[in-house]
């Protein structure tokens, strides 16, 4: 049985693309993280109560799905009662009527509040994770390319020979 010899050309082309895509995802995720932290730093925490759960049917790629969105009431630091519907819905519902939740709100516009949950960080995790995986795969591709060049006596083999010769002379 013949062993198939592959050219490193695919790796040479794919390697920069993998690193560029990985860096794009990492920087995009980092920017989302920074924006979210900046937004949350300007907000004031408050305790809220889920007073209603609203169901909405949304048309997705996999068909119609029903998502549940909590309607939350909370009091601002000045005592004003605010009621808002969360922009994050779930299926199954993440909250039930009567649940106590932490709310973050902007004192300038207390109606644009949000329920403080990990789901706000999900896009950050997705982009940083995808970028990390791409950089990791790119590193493996670079290692594979380096090993192939060493085996073929290519660029790294040449550098190794030069360093070895200098060591022998010194």
């Amino acid at each position: 049985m013949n062993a198939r010899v592959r050219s490193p050309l695919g790796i040479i082309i794919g390697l920069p693309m993998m690193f560029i895509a990985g860096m794009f995802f990492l920087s995009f995720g980092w920017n989302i993280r920074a924006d979210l932290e900046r937004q949350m730093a300007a907000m004031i925490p408050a305790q809220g109560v889920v007073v209603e759960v609203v169901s909405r049917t949304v048309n997705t790629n996999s068909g119609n799905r029903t998502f549940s969105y909590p309607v939350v009431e909370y009091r601002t630091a000045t005592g004003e009662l605010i009621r808002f519907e969360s922009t994050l819905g779930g299926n199954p519902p993440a909250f039930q009527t009567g649940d106590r939740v932490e709310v973050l709100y902007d004192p300038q516009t207390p109606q644009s509040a949000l329920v403080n949950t990990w789901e706000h960080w999900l896009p950050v995790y997705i982009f940083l994770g995808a970028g990390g995986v791409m950089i990791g795969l790119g590193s493996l591709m670079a290692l594979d390319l380096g090993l192939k060049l060493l085996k073929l006596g290519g660029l790294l083999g040449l550098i190794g020979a030069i360093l070895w010769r200098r060591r022998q002379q010194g």
Side-chain angles (χ1 to χ4, degrees):
M1 183 180 279
N2 291 345
R4 186 171 176 208
V5 178
R6 288 186 289 152
S7 166
L9 184 61
I11 295 173
I12 292 171
I13 293 170
L15 184 62
M17 292 172 58
M18 189 66 75
F19 277 117
I20 290 169
M23 291 305 294
F24 171 78
F25 279 103
L26 282 175
S27 70
F28 193 69
W30 195 258
N31 285 336
I32 294 172
R33 181 206 58 80
D35 289 345
L36 190 57
E37 280 184 348
R38 189 174 22 263
Q39 177 188 6
M40 288 182 165
M43 298 178 130
I44 298 174
Q47 288 300 311
V49 177
V50 177
V51 293
E52 182 181 358
V53 177
V54 177
S55 295
R56 288 195 177 26
T57 302
V58 178
N59 188 1
T60 65
N61 290 339
S62 58
N64 289 341
R65 294 190 60 195
T66 302
F67 292 93
S68 299
Y69 298 86
V71 177
V72 178
E73 281 187 353
Y74 73 97
R75 290 203 179 273
T76 64
T78 60
E80 182 182 1
L81 182 65
I82 302 292
R83 183 181 183 129
F84 73 97
E85 182 178 318
S86 177
T87 57
L88 293 177
N91 182 357
F95 301 101
Q96 297 176 355
T97 302
D99 285 352
R100 297 200 174 279
V101 295
E102 182 181 20
V103 173
L104 295 174
Y105 71 95
D106 181 351
Q108 304 301 319
T109 55
Q111 293 78 13
S112 60
L114 57 91
V115 176
N116 192 10
T117 177
W118 67 271
E119 291 169 321
H120 292 287
W121 295 95
L122 189 59
V124 174
Y125 299 144
I126 289 171
F127 281 104
L128 290 178
V133 166
M134 288 181 172
I135 295 292
L137 288 174
S139 298
L140 289 175
M141 289 170 67
L143 178 64
D144 185 46
L145 176 62
L147 292 173
K148 284 181 180 171
L149 287 174
L150 277 174
K151 185 177 179 182
L152 297 172
L155 180 63
L156 291 180
L158 177 63
I159 292 170
I162 292 169
L163 292 175
W164 181 78
R165 180 172 264 179
R166 279 193 182 175
R167 190 172 185 199
Q168 293 297 324
Q169 290 174 354

